Amino acid sequence: MTDLLSSTAHTAGSEPPSVPSFAVISGEQVKRALEGSEKELVELVEATYRLHGAGDSVNPPSYFLRFPDRPTARIIALPASIGGSVRVDGLKWISSFPENVGAGLPRASAVLILNDHDTGYPFACLESSIISATRTAASAALAADWLSRGRPRPRRVGFCGTGLIARYIHTFLARTGWSFDAIGVHDVSADSAEGFCGYLRQTGAPEPVTVHDSAENLIRSSDLVVFATVAGRPHVTTPGWFKHNPLVLHVSLRDLAPEVLLESANFVDDVEHCLKADTSPHLVEQRTGNRDFLNGTLNDVMLGRAAPPHDQPVIFSPFGLGVLDLAVGKYVYDQVARAGQLRLIDDFFHDLRRHG
């Protein structure tokens, strides 16, 4: 697995160049570099979680830019640094404008800046909505695998929220060995639900698909529940809907009321990051005044320090770590560089002589 974190230097040779290079990598190039590599990317995300858990990373809190005149919108800065053999720093700058959906545009857009470990110079700007969706889906698939070990493997999957993230998560599950007896779909937008069903038909998914008219029906009929909505506050408030003890990938973080989490086993990607910004776990901490409801992190599970119980719902709430974006972004950069397809902007940096 450590091979997945090996990295080609972004410049040739061992000596730094006199003029740093800067590349722009388009969404089309990103997609080509990632497509068909789902198993490898899940392993890359696992290796990155292990590096982060071992302390070989810097992942400060995300910074939220909000707007008084656009209360539903935000732009988030995720700075990070990852060590190991990747040795890259950087920043993801991702916007969430939910009203885009009504205009036919995706809710989220993003860029990723990669900075050289030794000089600090930025050496690439990548379109990052695909990278962000990829690392989110790879993390979800990884969690589904580890958190279902020792429990009956889920046979019925339900997607609450049917946008781009749900599509990527389904793709990663399907291409990393998951198969189901049935797929459930629920969305407050009938058009979005139908679009997701169209995607499933297009992929040739063999499972029967049911569109549910409520989140309750979806949850009760699913052993694996994926929340990928744009909910800003909890809308699922009844612990009894989870009495069959499903595995829940709470990717959108704000769907579940504290009552649900308090009746469940809870795992996160990073405690300090997840218990912020009024996420569902943060609301539990605010209500109880402690973090006793947390069973551990995904890395704790991978190291054998924690295990999901058999007799409770198991909820994974990942805040999304910038180190994952860096690892996937550097993977993309290396793939494009090896193919000789980097689009370099030769004069991006100017006036590099210290005294003119």
Side-chain angles (χ1 to χ4, degrees):
M1 187 176 299
T2 54
D3 289 346
L4 290 168
L5 287 177
S6 64
S7 170
T8 57
H10 79 268
T11 55
S14 59
E15 294 297 323
S18 57
V19 179
S21 63
F22 187 81
V24 175
I25 299 177
S26 70
E28 181 183 6
Q29 290 178 295
V30 170
K31 184 176 181 181
R32 283 203 308 266
L34 295 174
E35 204 162 35
S37 301
E38 287 79 11
K39 289 183 179 180
E40 188 175 2
L41 289 164
V42 170
E43 292 174 2
L44 172 63
V45 165
E46 178 174 344
T48 305
Y49 272 137
R50 291 183 185 275
L51 268 183
H52 179 66
D56 198 2
S57 66
V58 181
N59 205 111
S62 302
Y63 297 90
F64 288 72
L65 176 62
R66 299 186 184 276
F67 314 96
D69 60 329
R70 293 158 285 167
T72 65
R74 64 180 188 262
I75 307 179
I76 311 172
L78 286 80
S81 174
I82 185 169
S85 52
V86 176
R87 285 165 45 94
V88 69
D89 312 322
L91 172 77
K92 180 171 75 170
W93 181 238
I94 182 166
S95 66
S96 174
F97 280 54
E99 293 185 12
N100 284 351
V101 175
L105 284 173
R107 170 186 60 86
S109 59
V111 294
L112 177 68
I113 300 295
L114 300 180
N115 292 75
D116 181 78
H117 176 277
D118 296 324
T119 68
Y121 270 83
F123 64 87
C125 176
L126 300 84
E127 196 286 329
S128 197
S129 63
I130 297 171
I131 290 171
S132 187
T134 293
R135 62 86 151 147
T136 299
S139 169
L142 179 70
D145 177 27
W146 278 96
L147 294 175
S148 63
R149 297 184 185 187
R151 291 166 51 98
R153 194 162 173 94
R155 300 302 309 164
R156 304 169 299 166
V157 64
F159 291 88
C160 187
T162 54
L164 179 136
I165 296 298
R167 171 162 60 87
Y168 270 74
I169 291 174
H170 174 268
T171 297
F172 267 78
L173 290 172
R175 294 183 181 176
T176 54
W178 287 82
S179 61
F180 301 98
D181 297 331
I183 298 177
V185 174
H186 172 68
D187 200 292
V188 294
S189 165
D191 289 342
S192 184
E194 177 53 37
F196 189 73
C197 291
Y199 149 76
L200 293 172
R201 290 191 296 268
Q202 193 174 38
T203 64
E207 301 92 342
V209 179
T210 301
V211 178
H212 294 276
D213 60 1
S214 68
E216 177 182 359
N217 290 339
L218 176 85
I219 294 165
R220 289 185 182 276
S221 63
S222 303
D223 307 314
L224 174 62
V225 184
V226 179
F227 283 97
T229 74
V230 294
R233 60 181 64 89
H235 58 97
V236 174
T237 61
T238 308
W241 296 357
F242 300 83
K243 65 181 180 180
H244 56 301
N245 300 330
L247 171 58
V248 180
L249 303 178
H250 187 205
V251 175
S252 37
L253 281 176
R254 295 173 178 85
D255 300 88
L256 304 179
E259 292 83 357
V260 174
L261 272 67
L262 287 168
E263 295 293 324
S264 305
N266 294 280
F267 297 88
V268 297
D269 54 356
D270 182 283
V271 174
E272 295 301 327
H273 284 78
C274 197
L275 272 66
K276 282 184 172 67
D278 289 336
T279 63
S280 294
H282 189 206
L283 295 181
V284 177
E285 182 188 35
Q286 292 176 54
R287 173 178 295 192
T288 63
N290 61 62
R291 299 176 173 182
D292 296 345
F293 67 97
L294 291 178
N295 294 65
T297 66
L298 182 58
N299 189 55
D300 290 331
V301 175
M302 294 190 298
L303 292 175
R305 297 191 300 225
H310 299 92
D311 56 353
Q312 282 182 288
V314 172
I315 300 174
F316 178 57
S317 300
F319 193 81
L321 301 179
V323 290
L324 300 183
D325 295 284
L326 288 186
V328 175
K330 188 57 167 58
Y331 174 93
V332 169
Y333 180 91
D334 290 342
Q335 294 290 101
V336 176
R338 289 189 190 106
Q341 296 175 346
L342 286 178
R343 299 169 181 172
L344 298 177
I345 302 177
D346 295 328
D347 59 351
F348 186 81
F349 297 106
H350 184 64
D351 203 0
L352 295 172
R353 294 175 180 269
R354 191 174 179 200
H355 299 292

